[in-house]
Amino acid sequence: MSLANHPQTLGQRVGRWTVWTSAVLVLFFLMAPILAIIPLSFSSGDFLTYPLPGLSLRWYHELLVSDKWLPALRNSMIIGVSATVISTVLGTLAALGLNRARFAMKPLIMGVLLSPMIVPVIITAVGVYFFFAPLGLTDSYTGLILAHTALAAPFVVITVSATLQHFDNTMARAAASLGAPPVLAFFKVVLPLILPGVASGALFAFATSFDEVVVVLMIAGPGQRTLPREMFSGIRENINPTITAVATVLIITSVILLSCLEALRRRSERMTTGKVT
Amino acid sequence: MTIQGGASAPPADRVLSDGDVPLKVRLRRAERVRKMTAFGLVAPLLVFLLLTFVVPIAGMLWRSVGDNELSKVLPRTEAALVTWDGKSLPGEAAFHALADDLAQAHADDTAVIAARRLNYDVSGLHSAVMSLARHHFDPAATPSYRDAVIAVNHHWGEVDAWGAIRHARGPLTDFYLLSALDLHQDASGAIHRVPADRAIYLDVLARTFRISLTVTLFCLVLGFPVAYLLATQPPKIANGLMILVLLPFWTSLLVRTAAWVVVLQDQGIVNDLLLWLGVIDHPLRLIYNAIGVHVAMTHVLLPFMILPLYSTMKSIKPHFMRAATSLGAPPSVAFVRIYLPQCLPGIAAGCLLVFILAIGYYITPALVGGASDQMLSYFIAFFITDSVNWGLASALGAVLLGATLLLYAVYSKLVGGTDIKMG
């Protein structure tokens, strides 16, 4: 594979350099703003400018004592965890069903199941607002949890379906031939094997809800303001260093989420392809 | 698992066992049970999404064509206008009916509904309705309702006002959808463009498509070399580079938007750096305008371009390029004639995906754009929360939904059914 060992023409060398330079610049463009915001959260000054006047943890202290950010985190967790649990259960069942057999209107059903991912969120938000308002579901946790579950479910369906495609069905058949009833075979054999896929789906679902702000803007009351909702007003009204502290915490959260996903992906590859290590 | 009826195999329906039920029947029964179970597993999510997603959106679409508010407030007026020609002012009966309906509406506190609805169509009718509703007519002292009503507010002496009433009779209307396309139907039923000073939505639509297209092109140009590098480097380097793509992808949208506000503001890092380098002598305006929108949206959507490009490039065998080179093609020719055509499915998929996501964007333009950089989604939200006109919000939503679904149909034809890849 490695072309580096071959003698190269000038053209090839210029090509390589162009690709590397432009790719590195683009990767810098992707990472730089995210990295630039982190040091500002440790600034001792009031302004979001470099050079930093000094280092301090005052903005993190602000974050902990304010009456805004901790309740927002709590709301985000309540809504995110509930939406994740419901969407993971419903999404996993649906993926198992879709994987099991062909039935009438399967493509249409698949389309409906994945549509929350495709339809612009503002449209979902408006529809949900009209529909939930007369039912008394606006300004409530229940309404937000239901809407976020709908937005998150497609990610679970896709992730678990992908895992099931690599799933070796002889395992399930072996369990059945040894006399396990279907439900027992599922919990003892199938579920442990596809669990990494289910967990990735759950992480996707949680990230979807945890980052969602359009539906929250439309249907949440003052009691259900989530982290992204508070960030939205913070950025819009008066961006101050507390926002950079929240942002830093969220960046660390995404690093953790990403590492978990990567670990799960490796585990899933090992388990479903049946390679014993 | 179907039984293949080969020549050597015994006919399936002759194999008997277990209570003498033919195997074929039992197989069919088992297959049916399988299908029922499969559907039963899918059903809970399907029902859930029908109730929390499909029905609400259908409700929104209904609101974009439904129009039943006015006929509840002005039933007699609508009845009186059924035979009206729409060219000259209606007869005395219509004026009388309007005065009666609005007197009733005033008593029921519903006049404001009619005022709001009619004002969407002809501006000025809000006060015309409210003043008429508040006016008390004494039947004995009113020889001509027509003159009396016009005396209360001059709008009632114009054909357009009556056209607006008849146009809003419901139960269905094309008013909102026409408005969303800057079209208007006058009293005689002719459809024409609204005056230039009131036409905004075609501009908004064009702007939405223009910004999305530009952002898509930026993403393609920036994403291509990264995807190429990811696909051609040995796994160790490629995995490391991949993290630099996935981390922004997984970082909260609000965090990334906040980061751009910090970086691009007047005293931000970019301006500081340019000032320090002496490139400029006063800060450039980089945010709350079109520059900010394009930069931030490109940043947010770039991973959606890189990932499909990468997966296509990964599947391109290096042999073809080597063959081209060994046959004497210079690298640039080999790249354009051999490599690029094989990338096309990935390019098309990435561009469509980015474009579809871009046309629905709301948060990023709302936070880093100026008043003239707002896209369709902003106006939908605006008509829900700030200026209450749910019919128009729904009609704009219908336009956006239509465009998205159309593009998605093309996308799924291209990528192959429901196989959406992530990460």
Side-chain angles (χ1 to χ4, degrees):
Chain A
M1 253 299 286
S2 81
L3 287 165
N5 299 339
H6 298 279
Q8 286 186 317
T9 64
L10 181 67
Q12 275 171 324
R13 236 176 286 154
V14 169
R16 265 173 70 93
W17 271 105
T18 323
V19 169
W20 266 100
T21 324
S22 42
V24 166
L25 285 175
V26 173
L27 290 172
F28 177 78
F29 167 73
L30 274 174
M31 289 299 296
I34 298 172
L35 296 179
I37 204 170
I38 296 175
L40 289 171
S41 69
F42 297 102
S43 165
S44 61
D46 291 304
F47 299 104
L48 293 166
T49 48
Y50 285 101
L52 301 178
L55 295 176
S56 84
L57 288 173
R58 60 182 282 212
W59 303 113
Y60 289 88
H61 182 247
E62 191 96 330
L63 209 157
L64 289 174
V65 297
S66 92
D67 52 359
K68 184 161 95 166
W69 295 107
L70 284 184
L73 175 65
R74 189 172 148 266
N75 286 338
S76 280
M77 291 305 289
I78 292 174
I79 295 162
V81 170
S82 316
T84 304
V85 171
I86 306 173
S87 60
T88 305
V89 172
L90 294 181
T92 305
L93 288 178
L96 285 166
L98 290 168
N99 183 249
R100 196 169 262 255
R102 306 207 153 272
F103 44 85
M105 302 191 302
K106 192 168 163 182
L108 180 73
I109 289 172
M110 194 74 183
V112 172
L113 295 189
L114 298 187
S115 54
M117 217 168 73
I118 297 140
V119 170
V121 194
I122 187 75
I123 290 177
T124 313
V126 170
V128 162
Y129 173 71
F130 289 149
F131 190 69
F132 282 6
L135 302 175
L137 286 172
T138 48
D139 297 0
S140 76
Y141 284 114
T142 317
L144 280 167
I145 291 168
L146 291 177
H148 278 190
T149 304
L151 290 175
F155 294 97
V156 181
V157 174
I158 289 189
T159 320
V160 178
S161 295
T163 312
L164 285 171
Q165 270 173 11
H166 299 294
F167 180 71
D168 187 356
N169 250 320
T170 44
M171 308 267 192
R173 264 182 248 136
S177 78
L178 289 168
V183 175
L184 186 69
F186 174 75
F187 279 106
K188 289 276 181 195
V189 178
V190 180
L191 188 61
L193 286 171
I194 63 165
L195 202 57
V198 175
S200 320
L203 282 180
F204 267 106
F206 183 77
T208 307
S209 166
F210 200 67
D211 198 22
E212 203 290 319
V213 64
V214 182
V215 172
V216 178
L217 277 169
M218 209 59 93
I219 72 170
Q224 294 91 38
R225 289 168 73 108
T226 58
L227 269 188
R229 177 68 184 81
E230 291 293 1
M231 285 199 75
F232 182 82
S233 6
I235 300 170
R236 176 168 257 192
E237 284 143 27
N238 162 38
I239 183 158
N240 67 35
T242 326
I243 301 254
T244 61
V246 181
T248 307
V249 173
L250 289 179
I251 292 168
I252 294 167
T253 316
S254 358
V255 173
I256 296 172
L257 274 176
L258 187 59
S259 326
C260 292
L261 265 180
E262 188 56 25
L264 284 167
R265 196 181 58 78
R266 291 204 180 134
R267 201 178 158 75
S268 169
E269 261 174 17
R270 266 208 323 272
M271 289 173 82
T272 49
T273 48
K275 275 182 214 146
V276 182
T277 47
Chain B
M1 287 282 290
T2 52
I3 298 282
Q4 305 282 330
S8 58
D13 52 352
R14 296 256 187 82
V15 183
L16 302 176
S17 66
D18 284 350
D20 286 350
V21 184
L23 178 60
K24 208 172 182 180
V25 175
R26 280 188 294 135
L27 274 175
R28 208 177 299 142
R29 202 177 291 158
E31 187 59 22
R32 202 162 52 231
V33 170
R34 244 172 93 84
K35 277 186 185 172
M36 295 293 282
T37 327
F39 186 75
L41 287 168
V42 176
L45 181 60
L46 190 64
V47 172
F48 181 88
L49 286 181
L50 284 176
L51 289 178
T52 58
F53 182 77
V54 178
V55 172
I57 288 181
M60 183 205 78
L61 292 175
W62 168 249
R63 273 175 201 271
S64 70
V65 292
D67 204 358
N68 51 16
E69 285 179 327
L70 196 73
S71 58
K72 281 185 201 144
V73 185
L74 305 178
R76 281 163 287 194
T77 318
E78 294 294 4
L81 287 176
V82 167
T83 53
W84 177 49
D85 65 0
K87 291 189 182 97
S88 54
L89 279 180
E92 173 73 8
F95 283 90
H96 198 154
L98 181 66
D100 286 353
D101 276 338
L102 284 178
Q104 181 66 45
H106 187 57
D108 298 345
D109 265 339
T110 53
V112 68
I113 296 174
R116 198 180 61 214
R117 171 63 187 87
L118 290 173
N119 203 60
Y120 293 157
D121 199 335
V122 177
S123 64
L125 283 189
H126 192 280
S127 59
V129 169
M130 293 316 283
S131 57
L132 194 58
R134 278 192 293 267
H135 193 88
H136 181 73
F137 293 98
D138 178 4
T142 316
S144 160
Y145 269 88
R146 182 174 159 142
D147 296 343
V149 165
I150 295 174
V152 173
N153 190 301
H154 67 93
H155 273 104
W156 301 116
E158 290 158 19
V159 175
D160 278 352
W162 296 93
I165 295 181
R166 190 169 66 171
H167 197 180
R169 67 183 177 276
L172 291 176
T173 184
D174 52 8
F175 172 72
Y176 297 116
L177 286 170
L178 288 175
S179 300
L181 299 171
D182 285 337
L183 295 170
H184 184 257
Q185 191 172 23
D186 65 16
S188 66
I191 294 174
H192 51 84
R193 283 170 175 269
V194 299
D197 58 319
R198 288 187 59 197
I200 39 177
Y201 305 114
L202 280 185
D203 265 0
V204 171
L205 200 61
R207 178 193 305 157
T208 306
F209 279 91
R210 196 178 57 236
I211 294 179
S212 305
L213 195 67
T214 321
V215 167
T216 306
L217 288 178
F218 284 163
C219 285
L220 178 61
V221 171
L222 297 183
F224 198 92
V226 177
Y228 180 80
L229 207 61
L230 285 173
T232 50
Q233 287 307 304
K236 244 196 185 127
I237 299 176
N239 282 344
L241 295 175
M242 192 56 131
I243 289 175
L244 301 182
V245 177
L246 288 179
L247 184 65
F249 183 66
W250 273 86
T251 303
S252 160
L253 176 68
L254 271 303
V255 170
R256 284 186 276 172
T257 310
W260 280 113
V261 174
V262 169
V263 170
L264 294 179
Q265 62 181 323
D266 286 357
Q267 301 85 34
I269 301 161
V270 173
N271 268 318
D272 279 353
L273 200 67
L274 292 176
L275 283 170
W276 182 73
L277 288 172
V279 181
I280 51 173
D281 47 18
H282 57 272
L284 294 173
R285 195 93 175 118
L286 297 173
I287 200 160
Y288 310 125
N289 59 17
I291 300 176
V293 173
H294 283 94
V295 170
M297 279 183 71
T298 304
H299 182 253
V300 172
L301 291 170
L302 193 49
F304 291 98
M305 179 68 82
I306 295 178
L307 297 174
L309 273 179
Y310 163 75
S311 75
T312 307
M313 289 175 177
K314 193 79 191 156
S315 65
I316 298 176
K317 302 261 184 315
H319 315 34
F320 295 111
M321 281 291 272
R322 271 187 230 143
T325 327
S326 76
L327 291 169
S332 54
V333 173
F335 177 79
V336 172
R337 302 265 310 260
I338 306 295
Y339 196 78
L340 215 48
Q342 297 186 76
C343 293
L344 279 181
I347 293 176
C351 286
L352 272 167
L353 186 62
V354 170
F355 192 82
I356 290 171
L357 291 169
I359 59 170
Y361 254 56
Y362 170 51
I363 297 299
T364 310
L367 289 176
V368 301
S372 60
D373 310 304
Q374 298 307 324
M375 298 166 58
L376 202 47
S377 294
Y378 174 86
F379 289 86
I380 297 173
F382 175 79
F383 283 118
I384 297 287
T385 53
D386 295 13
S387 144
V388 177
N389 187 344
W390 290 1
L392 187 54
S394 303
L396 291 170
V399 171
L400 179 60
L401 184 63
T404 307
L405 292 184
L406 197 73
L407 288 162
Y408 182 71
V410 178
Y411 173 84
S412 65
K413 267 256 165 352
L414 215 74
V415 180
T418 43
D419 176 33
I420 296 172
K421 290 197 185 79
M422 290 183 307

